[in-house]
Amino acid sequence: MTTTGTTTRTPMNALAGTWTIDPSHTRIGFVARHAMVTKVRGAFNDFAGTVSVDADDFTRSSAELTIQAASIDTRNEQRDGHLRSNDFLAMEDYPEIRFVSTGVTQTGPTSLELTGDLTIKDVTRPVTVPFDFDGTATDPFGNVRAGFEGAVTINRKDYGITWNAALETGGVLVSDKIALEFEVSAIKNA
């Protein structure tokens, strides 16, 4: 175990127990290419999730995440409204985006792959997200926290999100590939 300031690096198997994702210190984000020349970044601001780590058999660990589609935020109210509409997330019919893990594989001393079912617009497809474990720390309120970062790219058309507009110069307005980004702070349950 290595200690740097108030952050302690520990083997991931020392994370045994149940953890609750802290929404105020976690970012669930995405990146899409816009007009073929720039990127638009956004995040979901309303979500809840848990992680359960089995120290005896890491493969029996699990994670669940539920995102409220209406909480999408790209810092542009008009664009956010369009993303909530039937052209994209159809949040009136599909208010939640869900991830439920189906497997965990430790790929290194501080890395893992989390495989699971991602459901968007009532379409469920498997995804595997590589994560890096950033360590643990005890915050000023006595909470034990663990940090993880991960990212994966999905094709939005796989989830029935097909709207687009052709550009006069060729190409389309919105990329099919969307990068999902996870910067997670989880608090150990008592």
Side-chain angles (χ1 to χ4, degrees):
M1 180 179 343
T2 307
T3 303
T4 308
T6 59
T7 302
T8 305
R9 288 257 181 212
T10 61
M12 286 192 299
N13 63 358
L15 295 171
T18 302
W19 301 74
T20 300
I21 295 173
D22 177 6
S24 62
H25 293 96
T26 296
R27 179 178 176 271
I28 309 295
F30 60 89
V31 181
R33 198 153 276 287
H34 179 262
M36 308 293 289
V37 296
T38 187
K39 293 179 181 177
V40 170
R41 295 182 183 280
F44 292 94
N45 297 324
D46 186 3
F47 53 85
T50 58
V51 178
S52 180
V53 179
D54 185 326
D56 295 326
D57 183 356
F58 202 73
T59 63
R60 292 190 311 214
S61 300
S62 63
E64 289 190 22
L65 177 67
T66 302
I67 299 168
Q68 300 305 313
S71 72
I72 196 166
D73 181 3
T74 64
R75 299 177 302 127
N76 180 294
E77 190 174 320
Q78 184 178 0
R79 179 174 48 225
D80 294 346
H82 191 202
L83 292 171
R84 291 180 187 111
S85 78
N86 289 341
D87 285 343
F88 288 93
L89 295 176
M91 59 155 263
E92 294 291 328
D93 294 324
Y94 310 105
E96 294 182 341
I97 298 168
R98 290 192 41 84
F99 175 84
V100 178
S101 68
T102 57
V104 180
T105 303
Q106 188 168 349
T107 56
T110 60
S111 61
L112 61 89
E113 287 184 342
L114 182 62
T115 299
D117 293 327
L118 176 63
T119 302
I120 303 173
K121 288 182 68 173
D122 217 20
V123 176
T124 302
R125 300 188 63 90
V127 297
T128 298
V129 184
F131 276 95
D132 289 323
F133 170 53
D134 293 330
T136 59
T138 301
D139 69 21
F141 306 102
N143 297 310
V144 177
R145 292 180 175 272
F148 293 89
E149 290 184 39
V152 66
T153 299
I154 63 168
N155 187 322
R156 66 187 178 92
K157 288 184 175 180
D158 291 344
Y159 295 91
I161 304 171
T162 59
W163 182 92
N164 225 329
L167 300 175
E168 287 181 18
T169 56
V172 292
L173 186 63
V174 182
S175 62
D176 291 343
K177 293 187 179 196
I178 308 296
L180 303 178
E181 302 172 328
F182 305 92
E183 299 164 10
V184 178
S185 177
I187 299 172
K188 189 167 189 173
N189 295 359

